[in-house]
Amino acid sequence: MPRLLFSYLLKRVGLSVLIVQLALSVPVVLSYLLYQLPPAAVRGGLVWPALVGVTPTVAFVTLPMAIGVASALEFSRMASEGMIAVLYALRLSPWAICRPALSLASGIVVLGYLLANFIAPHYSSNMQDVLNVVRNSLNHRMLDAAHFYTFSSGGKTLYIERWITPDIAANLYLRQISLEKMQEETITAARAEFRRNEAGVIIALSNGSIQTRSVNSSEVRIAKFDEYAMALPMQGSGSLPERGWRGVYELSALDFLANRATAKGDHRQYGEWMAEAAKRFGVPSLAVAHTLLAIALTLAFGNITGRRGASGSLPIIAVPAAHIVYLVALESLLRVSAWFAILLLALLVLEIGVSLWLIARLSYSPRPRLTTGAAPPGYAAPLA
């Protein structure tokens, strides 16, 4: 294939991939954030960390579908405009016509492996940190008035009657148990101002009282104060609060592979490990498989003469269907048994094999048979 034509087709498919990828990933990311984050997360400034955390994962999962759908759209356009017939007339084989899209798909496979094994695990921790803040109410701007909240495994209970500003509350109630001092403190204040620092949140209390009771006795001491400050284990200005656990999807490639021996000890953990392994190492390779399938179906069943046929939309439907089936299977079947990985691998090999067979059929043209003897009536006899 001439270099100019190769570059033209590569750019056409690449532009289509960019458009389809945005059309696929943006709604998925937004719907996931709307489902996981409450409206108060906007006030707490949690939308951006969550967006950064979930976007790389959605990107590498949807990239194979994007290149497959983009190839189907671009080759369907070329077929409807009669460009495929022109390329055949230039004595270009189907393999030569496929080369620009397959070259782009190979580059997307490399990009997918980088996203799946290095970039997405690193940034997925941001999303889990955000969910940790949301589920444990660790952002003071997300606290609702007239609602009891517990922190530190039930060691602290907080109640706010109403908010004056996003950082100033009226009539605060705080109960905390100190295991070091073996005492229970009940703090009330007419006004409370939440101030963030690098490590957490400092509450500046005004016009209140502290009621202290020892755990080992019934003696109660009450002290009033004009100004009082105390720290809360909440989201500070420096970073999100630390979590006490780490998911397998947050591990880089080497740590993830090393975690296999530990995961095999538990059936549930091993199922999650296998599902994550299929996403990391199987999903990016689908870019080549879906591209081959889209091109093979378009060239084999599409009308390359420029006339619109009934089967023109077949590749556009087949590629998303195959990708969704693969994702649903790896998320459900592999969590039941790791042996289903053989079935998923067989489906991938079958998709590639059928696509290669369809393209090979187009490339095969039988040689004309030579006839001997007398020429048929109406034809001149061959020269001796």
Side-chain angles (χ1 to χ4, degrees), residues 258-298:
N259 185 257
R260 181 176 181 270
T262 305
K264 289 187 70 174
D266 183 79
H267 176 73
R268 183 184 60 83
Q269 291 184 4
Y270 191 56
E272 292 182 358
W273 190 93
M274 286 298 299
E276 181 66 20
K279 283 193 292 187
R280 291 191 180 206
F281 304 110
V283 170
S285 62
L286 290 174
V288 174
H290 292 344
T291 303
L292 280 172
L293 179 64
I295 297 175
L297 292 178
T298 303

Side-chain angles (χ1 to χ4, degrees), residues 8 23 95 114 147 172 196 324 345 353 368:
Y8 169 76
W95 296 114
L114 291 176
H147 187 85
L172 177 140
R196 284 180 176 175
I324 292 174
L345 182 60

Side-chain angles (χ1 to χ4, degrees), residues 44-111:
L46 299 175
V47 175
W48 176 250
L51 181 65
V52 173
V54 74
T55 299
T57 301
V58 174
F60 88 82
V61 170
T62 55
L63 264 176
M65 186 191 297
I67 178 64
V69 173
S71 300
L73 291 173
E74 190 59 29
F75 275 76
S76 297
R77 180 194 65 83
M78 291 192 297
S80 64
E81 295 177 356
M83 187 174 178
I84 300 294
V86 173
L87 295 179
Y88 282 158
L90 294 176
R91 305 185 65 84
L92 293 177
S93 67
W95 296 114
I97 298 174
C98 297
R99 196 174 299 128
L102 291 178
S103 299
L104 182 61
S106 301
I108 288 179
V109 169
V110 177
L111 176 61

Side-chain angles (χ1 to χ4, degrees), residues 5-334:
L5 182 59
F6 180 90
S7 176
Y8 169 76
L9 294 178
L10 185 68
K11 292 178 180 178
R12 288 285 309 189
V13 178
L15 180 60
S16 299
V17 169
L18 180 60
I19 296 174
V20 174
Q21 176 66 14
L22 291 176
L24 289 175
S25 58
V26 171
V28 173
V29 170
L30 293 180
S31 61
Y32 181 80
L33 294 181
L34 290 175
Y35 175 75
Q36 293 289 347
L37 302 182
V42 178
R43 299 196 306 266
L46 299 175
V47 175
W48 176 250
L51 181 65
V52 173
V54 74
T55 299
T57 301
V58 174
F60 88 82
V61 170
T62 55
L63 264 176
M65 186 191 297
I67 178 64
V69 173
S71 300
L73 291 173
E74 190 59 29
F75 275 76
S76 297
R77 180 194 65 83
M78 291 192 297
S80 64
E81 295 177 356
M83 187 174 178
I84 300 294
V86 173
L87 295 179
Y88 282 158
L90 294 176
R91 305 185 65 84
L92 293 177
S93 67
W95 296 114
I97 298 174
C98 297
R99 196 174 299 128
L102 291 178
S103 299
L104 182 61
S106 301
I108 288 179
V109 169
V110 177
L111 176 61
Y113 279 121
L114 291 176
L115 286 171
N117 293 282
F118 298 99
I119 300 176
H122 175 73
Y123 287 103
S124 63
S125 298
N126 291 357
M127 186 62 195
Q128 297 305 317
D129 291 339
V130 169
L131 294 179
N132 178 52
V133 171
V134 172
R135 292 168 182 171
N136 297 286
S137 303
L138 299 180
N139 188 303
H140 72 272
R141 292 187 176 181
M142 296 179 59
L143 303 179
D144 294 326
H147 187 85
F148 284 93
Y149 293 92
T150 58
F151 308 95
S152 302
S153 301
K156 296 179 184 293
T157 302
L158 179 66
Y159 176 87
I160 296 172
E161 183 177 306
R162 62 186 177 88
W163 286 99
I164 301 175
T165 69
D167 297 319
I168 299 177
N171 298 330
L172 177 140
Y173 167 87
L174 177 64
R175 174 181 175 271
Q176 59 182 1
I177 298 176
S178 175
L179 296 179
E180 294 80 6
K181 299 179 181 180
M182 296 298 294
Q183 65 183 18
E184 174 188 340
E185 293 181 346
T186 302
I187 303 174
T188 58
R191 185 179 184 273
E193 182 178 354
F194 292 79
R195 302 173 182 175
R196 284 180 176 175
N197 57 17
E198 292 291 332
V201 172
I202 302 296
I203 304 182
L205 304 175
S206 304
N207 301 327
S209 64
I210 303 177
Q211 177 179 299
T212 305
R213 185 179 67 88
S214 175
V215 177
N216 300 324
S217 66
S218 59
E219 181 183 357
V220 178
R221 292 177 298 172
I222 300 177
K224 294 186 177 181
F225 61 83
D226 294 329
E227 300 289 340
Y228 184 75
M230 62 178 302
L232 279 182
M234 303 182 74
Q235 178 188 349
S237 60
S239 60
L240 297 175
E242 295 185 0
R243 290 176 286 120
W245 58 273
R246 193 179 183 192
V248 68
Y249 40 81
E250 301 178 59
L251 302 177
S252 60
L254 296 179
D255 295 336
F256 175 76
L257 295 175
N259 185 257
R260 181 176 181 270
T262 305
K264 289 187 70 174
D266 183 79
H267 176 73
R268 183 184 60 83
Q269 291 184 4
Y270 191 56
E272 292 182 358
W273 190 93
M274 286 298 299
E276 181 66 20
K279 283 193 292 187
R280 291 191 180 206
F281 304 110
V283 170
S285 62
L286 290 174
V288 174
H290 292 344
T291 303
L292 280 172
L293 179 64
I295 297 175
L297 292 178
T298 303
L299 296 181
F301 301 103
N303 196 330
I304 64 173
T305 60
R307 297 178 181 178
R308 187 177 300 274
S311 59
S313 59
L314 176 62
I316 303 175
I317 299 174
V319 171
H323 191 71
I324 292 174
V325 167
Y326 187 87
L327 291 180
V328 172
L330 71 87
E331 284 290 349
S332 57
L333 297 180
L334 288 179

